[in-house]
Amino acid sequence: MCKLPQRCLLTGLVSLFVFSLVSASALPTAELIYQVGKKESSQASVIGKISDWLFGAKNNEDNFTMISGVAVDSADNIYLADTEKGRIVALNPQGKALARKDIGAGILKSPLGVALDRQGNIYVTDSALNQLLVFNSSGDVILAKSGADAKGGGLLRPSGVLVDKLSGRIIVSDTGNHRLQVYDQAGKFLSFIGQAGTREGDLNFPTFLAQDKNGNLYIVDTINCRVQVFDPNFKFIGKFGNSGDAMGSFGRPKGIAIDSDNRIYITDSFFNGVVVFDEAKKPVLFFSGSADNKTSLSAPMGVAVNSRGELIVADSRNNRLDVFRINW
Amino acid sequence: MKLNNYAGFVAVGLVFLLSEAALAGIAGSSHDFRGAVSDVRTRLNNPTEICKVCHIPHSTASGSYLNPASRISAGAVTLHGGSMATPANSSAVCLSCHDGSVASRVGASSTDYSTTHPFLVTYPSGAGFRPAVGGNVTGASGSLPLEGAARNRVECGTCHNPHERGAGSKFLRIENTNSNLCLTCHQK
């Protein structure tokens, strides 16, 4: 150890310098590629002009009010929960509305989570109806669940929803009850995961969910400011993150997506940004908008990653989707 | 030097008093997210504790949990009838939970009070409104603080006290019996 204060300072400076050199070369960057929905009020940016040119002035399809969950299908079509408007909107991979009617309009009151299965069914949680609703691809309700049973097994403000890639089971974040509920494909209740608390495996307002390529389940444990990882048999196997403003810490973690290389993307609606973790769960990037600061996220919620590795962020309070490319 | 120390001492004392008051106001309310810990200092230092849900700790320095507002980057927002505003100070903190997931949603078409009231708006001067003096609107039932750099914005924290659940448990600065809250700003 260094004994003289001056020496300490010098060593400190040198190591700081080396650290930043090493990490600078390894850090990925985020690049805004397009937006769907209301544009930033100051419209001077080139990106704004290009996206206006590409997508035209705002029309009904992209006139969203608070977007929560987002999901992509195998063809990279985007499904978003237009929460205030009470509908699910489907967009093509370029962000143009698909020629189909909105899903759930007139039924949904506060859609938050969206997930898709291989058959093209659409799974939606509604935090005002306290229900999980499943629509087929033509928009008919094929399943409506209010929870396990009437005796304390009901859903309270459900948010995240996931269709297990391996088993087809439906996993719902029962946010207000601090647990998850698991159903089989037919909607039969199978089990709860977690209970209120702060220990490993406990949950404190769990919100969005994701699965990595090995089938492990990632739960954003929002008020515990961490992400918990469960194996495909729903056994706790790890956690990361804590409450704070350092790289890798969270204020209000919400949405989560995992790409094909098992890199993890988590939105933070308190710090208005996205935290990126590499496959070793090391935090490598935080961004809160475009590099030129022309766009900044406002209370981002859901996030999805498409087959090109692009990140689709529900920029909730800005009423739009922001699509980013991560340059690794 | 002595003066500074004294000022620092007073500041710490004040914060501590505020802390105790905030604690009593939040304990047992919908905003009490803690486990079973009783000592206030333990609470402030425990990541699962009552204050840290809004006062996210700085990871490098201590004591910074007393400044939630400065951690929020301003962004455009559209709420209640399309009014454009910037969530500053308290609103962004509240809305990070009151989005329909962790807590009930507050927005344009909700079925609660917000359908009848615009928020995140600039407080006007003129007929129908009691004048704001020094960033506060004061009526017969009490005073309401406006927010923002110019202290002229109606945010969540104008009507709601984040630290005091109040008699009706709605965290209101002035209970709305006989429309007392409304009449603090609106003049007939």
Side-chain angles (χ1 to χ4, degrees):
Chain A
M1 297 298 292
C2 47
K3 287 193 187 87
L4 295 164
Q6 303 94 302
R7 279 275 301 281
C8 290
L9 188 66
L10 198 67
T11 334
L13 279 176
V14 169
S15 52
L16 201 81
F17 181 61
V18 171
F19 175 77
S20 58
L21 262 187
V22 169
S23 50
S25 60
L27 286 185
T29 56
E31 185 189 336
L32 180 72
I33 46 181
Y34 70 88
Q35 298 177 317
V36 193
K38 294 202 182 77
K39 309 302 185 302
E40 204 71 64
S41 43
S42 55
Q43 262 303 335
S45 78
V46 176
I47 287 163
K49 279 180 190 150
I50 293 175
S51 78
D52 274 355
W53 173 73
L54 277 176
F55 306 119
K58 66 166 187 271
N59 53 36
N60 191 46
E61 286 98 40
D62 60 14
N63 194 4
F64 310 122
T65 315
M66 251 199 91
I67 306 174
S68 299
V70 276
V72 290
D73 67 13
S74 52
D76 279 349
N77 295 313
I78 303 164
Y79 290 73
L80 63 95
D82 190 5
T83 306
E84 287 272 347
K85 293 227 161 74
R87 58 180 183 167
I88 305 298
V89 179
L91 306 170
N92 74 10
Q94 287 73 41
K96 270 290 203 194
L98 288 178
R100 59 176 299 170
K101 67 173 167 43
D102 296 338
I103 301 140
I107 300 171
L108 298 169
K109 290 223 161 64
S110 177
L112 287 193
V114 199
L116 304 161
D117 66 14
R118 290 205 196 87
Q119 291 74 48
N121 298 318
I122 302 133
Y123 297 70
V124 182
T125 51
D126 190 301
S127 76
L129 298 173
N130 290 320
Q131 278 189 325
L132 162 76
L133 291 138
V134 185
F135 298 88
N136 65 16
S137 51
S138 29
D140 311 313
V141 178
I142 54 170
L143 181 70
K145 291 292 293 183
S146 304
D149 56 42
K151 309 185 290 295
L155 293 164
L156 182 61
R157 284 195 305 282
S159 56
V161 54
L162 181 110
V163 180
D164 190 320
K165 273 182 242 177
L166 309 174
S167 65
R169 286 176 297 195
I170 311 162
I171 306 170
V172 177
S173 208
D174 188 3
T175 306
N177 288 321
H178 314 291
R179 64 188 177 197
L180 310 188
Q181 300 208 10
V182 187
Y183 307 94
D184 71 11
Q185 270 167 303
K188 187 171 154 292
F189 172 78
L190 298 176
S191 64
F192 293 119
I193 304 175
Q195 58 283 310
T198 56
R199 298 162 307 175
E200 288 183 350
D202 286 351
L203 300 168
N204 196 353
F205 294 95
T207 55
F208 289 90
L209 309 170
Q211 207 171 19
D212 68 15
K213 67 173 176 201
N214 318 96
N216 297 316
L217 172 67
Y218 288 58
I219 306 168
V220 179
D221 190 6
T222 300
I223 299 297
N224 280 334
C225 281
R226 64 184 181 187
V227 176
Q228 297 202 62
V229 191
F230 286 68
D231 75 9
N233 299 317
F234 308 137
K235 286 255 159 11
F236 171 89
I237 51 170
K239 56 173 187 185
F240 57 96
N242 59 353
S243 165
D245 61 359
M247 190 70 153
S249 300
F250 302 114
R252 206 81 71 216
K254 290 273 172 65
I256 180 165
I258 303 176
D259 71 15
S260 53
D261 293 314
N262 275 355
R263 297 158 178 152
I264 307 152
Y265 307 86
I266 293 160
T267 62
D268 191 314
S269 68
F270 192 98
F271 293 130
N272 292 327
V274 180
V275 195
V276 181
F277 294 83
D278 68 13
E279 59 283 3
K281 301 191 183 62
K282 192 165 85 71
V284 288
L285 174 67
F286 173 86
F287 64 95
S288 56
S290 58
D292 62 3
N293 276 327
K294 288 264 161 54
T295 270
S296 58
L297 300 171
S298 183
M301 291 281 279
V303 56
V305 63
N306 67 17
S307 68
R308 286 169 289 183
E310 293 159 353
L311 218 58
I312 298 133
V313 180
D315 193 353
S316 173
R317 293 273 162 192
N318 281 329
N319 299 319
R320 62 170 182 242
L321 292 181
D322 295 326
V323 183
F324 293 92
R325 181 183 300 123
I326 307 297
N327 301 309
W328 286 93
Chain B
M1 195 59 185
K2 264 194 182 128
L3 213 75
N4 279 344
N5 282 342
Y6 180 66
F9 182 73
V10 171
V12 168
L14 189 66
V15 161
F16 191 73
L17 281 178
L18 279 170
S19 302
E20 289 290 0
L23 188 63
I26 299 165
S29 78
S30 315
H31 288 166
D32 188 344
F33 297 91
R34 82 204 130 116
V37 185
S38 55
D39 176 66
V40 67
R41 272 144 301 196
T42 318
R43 283 181 184 148
L44 288 169
N45 292 317
N46 183 327
T48 62
E49 268 321 315
I50 199 159
C51 316
K52 287 195 170 178
V53 292
C54 293
H55 299 276
I56 307 293
H58 279 306
S59 301
T60 45
S62 57
S64 43
Y65 41 70
L66 295 179
N67 188 13
S70 72
R71 302 304 314 155
I72 305 294
S73 70
V77 107
T78 305
L79 285 171
H80 194 79
S83 52
M84 287 292 286
T86 298
N89 306 321
S90 62
S91 301
V93 176
C94 311
L95 294 170
S96 72
C97 284
H98 283 277
D99 58 9
S101 63
V102 171
S104 51
R105 192 157 50 85
V106 174
S109 54
S110 348
T111 48
D112 59 29
Y113 69 93
S114 63
T115 45
T116 60
H117 204 273
F119 50 93
L120 315 188
V121 288
T122 300
Y123 191 76
S125 55
F129 289 94
R130 217 178 281 280
V133 179
N136 291 291
V137 189
T138 307
S141 309
S143 199
L144 300 172
L146 300 171
E147 295 186 16
R151 296 289 309 273
N152 64 351
R153 313 237 347 125
V154 179
E155 306 274 342
C156 314
T158 302
C159 298
H160 294 278
N161 182 343
H163 303 121
E164 187 53 62
R165 96 191 87 154
S169 284
K170 303 284 182 198
F171 297 94
L172 291 172
R173 292 192 183 272
I174 297 172
E175 294 301 326
N176 205 24
T177 15
N178 304 323
S179 303
N180 283 344
L181 176 70
C182 318
L183 293 172
T184 304
C185 295
H186 292 282
Q187 269 179 323
K188 285 201 196 131

